Amino acid sequence: MNAEVRAMKTSAEQALAEAYAAAKARLPGNGAVQALREAAFKRFEADGLPNRRIEEWKYTDLRVLMREAKPPAGAPDAAAKARAAEAGKLAGDIDARRIVFVDGAFVPELSDLAALPPGLTVRPMAEALAAGDPRIAAHLGKVIPGDGMVALNTALMRDGALIHVAAGATVERPLHLIFAAAGTQPASVFCRSLVVIEPNARVMLVESHEAAAGHQVNAALELIVGAGAHVDHVKIVAGAGDALHVATLIAAVGARARFNDFSFNIGCGVVRNQLFVRFDGEAALANIGGASLLNGDQHSDTTLVADHKAGGCQSRELFKAVLDGRSRSVFQGRIIVQPGAQQTDAKMMTRALLLSEEAEADSKPELEIFADDVQCGHGATMGSLDRSLKFYLMARGIPEPEAEALLVQAFVGEAVESIEDAGLRDALMEQVAAWLKARGG
Amino acid sequence: MLEVKNLHVTVDGKAILKGLDLTVNKGEVHAIMGPNGSGKSTLAYVMAGKPGYEATEGEVLLDGENILEMEPDERAAEGVFLAFQYPLEIPGVATMTFLRTALNAQRKARGQAELSTPEFLKTVREAAAKLEIGQDMLRRGVNVGFSGGEKKRNEILQMALLEPRLCVLDETDSGLDIDALKIVSDGVNRLRSPERAMIVITHYQRLLDHIVPDVVHVLSKGRIVRTGGKELALELEANGYAQYQDEAALAS
Ligand SMILES: Nc1ncnc2c1ncn2[C@@H]1O[C@H](COP(=O)(O)OP(=O)(O)OP(=O)(O)O)[C@@H](O)[C@H]1O
Ligand SMILES: [Mg+2]
């Protein structure tokens, strides 16, 4: 019996099952959380690691990309903490409140949780799970049903941030969640955050994920954007060429809310960035964008579902990828307009710029529309740099690498522009410039 | 300064220039006229190094040095400037960034130091003001949302900033209203100098009223078929190209 089950699992799946069995008694959470973990792990186990036979994972086969599962990270040691003190630089020098997690565990001495403004609550997830924080029971795992990787996260989640912003509160200083997988031994990290923004509140959230060699990160963030709230969320992913980052954003957007989401991916071997956004109230406005810069053998998959459950919302999705070397990008975007979500205005665009002949981009935009009075559209382009534009620049004396760099910056800049914070925009464009310089621009 | 010798050029396998000879001395302005499709832009592009324009025979010498093997940016650094017939829009590349990158790249190639920000801004503002190019245009992406005439003025701005040795102007007058024609011509005339050679490609005498050429050439079917003084342009205006097309046909 045992042997039979084992035979059906890949060695990574087997290692995850063993890791869960060994860890579950010690993972934080009361009985209800334990039941949640148990159910989630069963769900994960039923399907196993997502693979190409599952439509949504056709281009990103984790059975292949994750041949082995690294052991769950232990408590971070001093060396890892020292390395993590440097993390979060990709966001530039924005004045933000740092909340630092090293190897998946909250590190108070690197974080700045002193003197939080009125209306803002920040609590480490491990502590909240252990203490039975009522917001966990109310929301965790309940916002939008996730998929198998979210289930795996739920089963093994250790720490992360529980953030609550009270109705009407404006959090002036952005919150910067820094997740550094910095241990010398490759490990797997499961971080889970829950952010509840009550109506008419305003906050900007920056997430930086940096992973050292060989680490495997599974990050999930559930975000509730209350009616009339204004939320900016920028996620930056960088890491070693053989690190793996699977992240899921689950967001429920209330009526008249403004939600600006941006995913920036520069570095990290394999990235699967899932965005499940549901419009629950009318007349919300969302900008969901992203940019990936890939080289070497990097693989980056953005999978987006924008589910318009309520009518009158406007969503704009613009995702760009720049590919060099033998890298590969995937964009799967689906806009759903539920019956009755009239006057939905949704436009989705994805563009891939191929700098090398060996790079490859796939895009699969889809519309599922069940209402008649809507404006929806999608488009996808893919191509190399415009030769005549390059010639125009070179004819003015600009050498080829610099001419290419200018054009690539313009290409990425169009997406980065949707970020409201100018400092952050500049910081990301500096990363783009550095990336181009490294390739010889 | 410029010697084009027996130049043959093919584009997409099609022969366009078929043994073109042209010599332009320092300080001279030469006008090139000729029917549509005769190869004027092809000549301009091949001098600037546009990809896909293949010189199968002949040479283009700039002060004795063959530039045909050089990359477009190297030619620009050597002082070749082409004012495009159709200047391109580059969304997302700010005009100022573009001008500064170009200027500093050329300075670097010539072993000069980069301009400081205040020096650069001052130089651009002065040159732009002379061409009646406003600050709002400079703040936009390169040529983005510029009218046809504004794009042409922007070409002359680039030429003024880059101070080339050899200027090739491809139909810089097309799309210009009467006032803009005057502004652009004045801009070009300010750049006339004993050290600089210019080739002005045009269909119309009215440009040559402002930029008075030393020599006028007729290009037809890929060759220079006639060369004369500035009065040749007037003659063409009156009689058209019919006789030259026949001559070119006979010669080929
Ligand atoms: N990519 C191409 N493939 C084939 N033929 C081409 C290509 N580009 C240009 N040509 C041809 O080369 C010839 C010369 O074109 P060119 O643009 O040099 O003419 P021109 O003298 O500048 O004309 P105009 O006065 O209309 O500007 C034309 O017949 C044109 O159709
Ligand atoms: Mg032409």
Side-chain angles (χ1 to χ4, degrees), chain B:
Chain B
M1 158 149 325
L2 174 73
E3 286 172 279
V4 180
K5 293 181 181 166
N6 187 34
L7 185 63
H8 290 253
V9 172
T10 59
V11 184
D12 279 342
K14 185 179 164 197
I16 312 286
L17 298 186
K18 304 162 186 169
L20 186 140
D21 294 291
L22 175 68
T23 301
V24 183
N25 296 315
K26 262 188 188 180
E28 290 178 353
V29 174
H30 288 218
I32 296 182
M33 306 183 81
N36 293 130
S38 55
K40 303 182 296 298
S41 293
T42 303
L43 174 64
Y45 280 145
V46 80
M47 286 197 284
K50 183 169 172 146
Y53 286 68
E54 201 196 336
T56 52
E57 238 186 291
E59 343 172 83
V60 175
L61 304 175
L62 186 68
D63 288 329
E65 196 183 358
N66 192 355
I67 60 169
L68 286 177
E69 292 303 313
M70 295 180 184
E71 291 295 320
D73 57 306
E74 295 169 333
R75 301 182 195 203
E78 286 294 325
V80 178
F81 182 93
L82 166 62
F84 283 59
Q85 182 171 357
Y86 305 107
L88 300 170
E89 297 192 10
I90 317 183
V93 176
T95 301
M96 289 303 253
T97 308
F98 165 64
L99 294 175
R100 186 168 188 167
T101 310
L103 195 56
N104 282 333
Q106 292 205 14
R107 291 180 70 91
K108 192 173 160 198
R110 295 188 199 120
Q112 296 166 314
E114 294 196 349
L115 280 187
S116 71
T117 304
E119 277 173 316
F120 168 75
L121 291 174
K122 185 165 174 284
T123 315
V124 174
R125 281 205 192 102
E126 285 176 5
K130 284 182 193 151
L131 292 160
E132 298 187 19
I133 292 174
Q135 293 299 307
D136 62 312
M137 276 169 70
L138 295 176
R139 270 194 290 271
R140 280 185 246 162
V142 176
N143 291 325
V144 174
F146 285 27
S147 73
E150 287 170 343
K151 285 179 184 165
K152 297 300 179 76
R153 274 191 272 155
N154 197 21
E155 294 290 288
I156 303 306
L157 171 65
Q158 293 162 40
M159 189 165 101
L161 291 173
L162 297 173
E163 302 181 311
R165 267 196 286 174
L166 172 68
C167 307
V168 182
L169 288 83
D170 192 358
E171 292 196 32
T172 300
D173 53 334
S174 67
L176 293 182
D177 66 34
I178 296 158
D179 295 334
L181 182 70
K182 177 96 174 57
I183 295 168
V184 163
S185 309
D186 290 348
V188 174
N189 285 330
R190 275 195 297 276
L191 293 170
R192 284 181 87 146
S193 109
E195 297 306 312
R196 188 171 281 142
M198 290 190 184
I199 295 173
V200 179
I201 296 169
T202 183
H203 286 293
Y204 301 107
Q205 171 60 37
R206 57 167 200 175
L207 177 71
L208 305 180
D209 289 339
H210 295 282
I211 306 170
V212 180
D214 301 296
V215 181
V216 175
H217 305 277
V218 179
L219 177 57
S220 182
K221 300 201 171 139
R223 286 184 189 164
I224 302 285
V225 293
R226 180 140 177 226
T227 296
K230 59 175 186 281
E231 60 294 337
L232 176 57
L234 293 166
E235 189 190 313
L236 293 170
E237 185 107 314
N239 303 331
Y241 295 115
Q243 61 163 314
Y244 300 107
Q245 284 180 302
D246 297 344
E247 275 174 33
L250 281 177
S252 61

Side-chain angles (χ1 to χ4, degrees), chain A residues 139-371:
Chain A
H139 303 295
L140 196 83
K142 294 191 175 153
V143 180
I144 296 175
D147 66 348
M149 289 312 275
V150 176
L152 181 63
N153 182 286
T154 305
L156 283 156
M157 64 187 169
R158 237 179 75 195
D159 211 344
L162 171 63
I163 296 171
H164 182 263
V165 183
T170 292
V171 180
E172 298 284 352
R173 254 175 104 200
L175 302 175
H176 190 179
L177 303 176
I178 298 170
F179 296 92
T184 32
Q185 289 306 314
S188 62
V189 173
F190 298 87
C191 37
R192 180 64 163 261
S193 298
L194 172 65
V195 179
V196 181
I197 321 249
E198 299 287 355
N200 303 316
R202 175 159 195 176
V203 66
M204 173 166 163
L205 210 61
V206 181
E207 262 185 273
S208 289
H209 289 265
E210 292 168 33
H215 283 75
Q216 296 172 336
V217 175
N218 179 330
L221 166 66
E222 287 172 282
L223 181 60
I224 297 169
V225 181
H230 183 158
V231 177
D232 294 289
H233 173 236
V234 176
K235 172 169 170 271
I236 304 167
V237 177
D242 61 351
L244 178 131
H245 176 91
V246 177
T248 310
L249 167 77
I250 283 173
V253 181
R256 299 175 316 282
R258 288 195 57 163
F259 178 48
N260 289 314
D261 189 84
F262 197 85
S263 308
F264 186 74
N265 169 19
I266 189 160
C268 202
V270 175
V271 175
R272 161 86 171 195
N273 193 36
Q274 313 197 99
L275 304 150
F276 303 136
V277 180
R278 194 179 62 205
F279 296 85
D280 285 342
E282 297 200 335
L285 230 67
N287 254 310
I288 305 168
S292 299
L293 285 91
L294 310 171
N295 55 27
D297 288 311
Q298 279 174 271
H299 176 107
S300 170
D301 172 334
T302 299
T303 294
L304 162 78
V305 180
D307 183 358
H308 287 263
K309 197 173 145 198
C313 296
Q314 182 188 304
S315 76
R316 292 286 175 272
E317 290 85 23
L318 176 60
F319 285 82
K320 298 219 169 180
V322 180
L323 298 103
D324 203 358
R326 291 176 307 274
S327 63
R328 177 148 195 210
S329 80
V330 177
F331 175 82
Q332 306 184 101
R334 194 187 320 154
I335 294 177
I336 304 170
V337 181
Q338 303 274 6
Q342 301 294 4
Q343 267 140 32
T344 292
D345 173 359
K347 289 195 179 58
M348 177 166 67
M349 187 62 163
T350 172
R351 294 187 194 280
L353 178 60
L354 303 164
L355 299 179
S356 130
E357 305 242 311
E358 293 158 300
E360 192 184 328
D362 290 291
S363 69
K364 202 176 82 182
E366 294 171 292
L367 300 176
E368 281 176 24
I369 300 175
F370 303 103

Side-chain angles (χ1 to χ4, degrees), chain A residues 4-60:
Chain A
E4 197 183 311
V5 171
R6 200 165 294 188
M8 294 179 65
K9 283 180 176 158
T10 67
S11 70
E13 286 161 353
Q14 185 62 32
L16 287 166
E18 282 163 14
Y20 176 64
K24 64 183 181 185
R26 282 175 289 114
L27 286 166
N30 56 19
V33 172
Q34 278 174 8
L36 196 67
R37 291 184 189 278
E38 200 65 21
F41 197 79
K42 284 222 166 69
R43 171 158 184 213
F44 166 74
E45 233 179 359
D47 295 335
L49 278 172
N51 57 76
R52 79 182 99 86
R53 281 191 298 276
I54 300 170
E55 181 62 20
E56 289 80 5
W57 292 80
K58 188 170 129 191
Y59 300 101
T60 301

Side-chain angles (χ1 to χ4, degrees), chain A residues 386-389 391-400 402 406-407 409-411, chain B residues 49-50 72-73 76 81-82 84 88-89 91-92 98 101-102 105-106 143 155 158:
Chain A
D386 187 315
R387 282 206 325 167
S388 12
L389 293 185
F391 169 62
Y392 189 60
L393 294 170
M394 289 176 74
R396 298 301 177 247
I398 301 173
E400 186 166 15
E402 276 181 72
L406 280 176
L407 294 174
Q409 280 168 309
F411 176 82
Chain B
K50 183 169 172 146
D73 57 306
F81 182 93
L82 166 62
F84 283 59
L88 300 170
E89 297 192 10
F98 165 64
T101 310
Q106 292 205 14
N143 291 325
E155 294 290 288
Q158 293 162 40

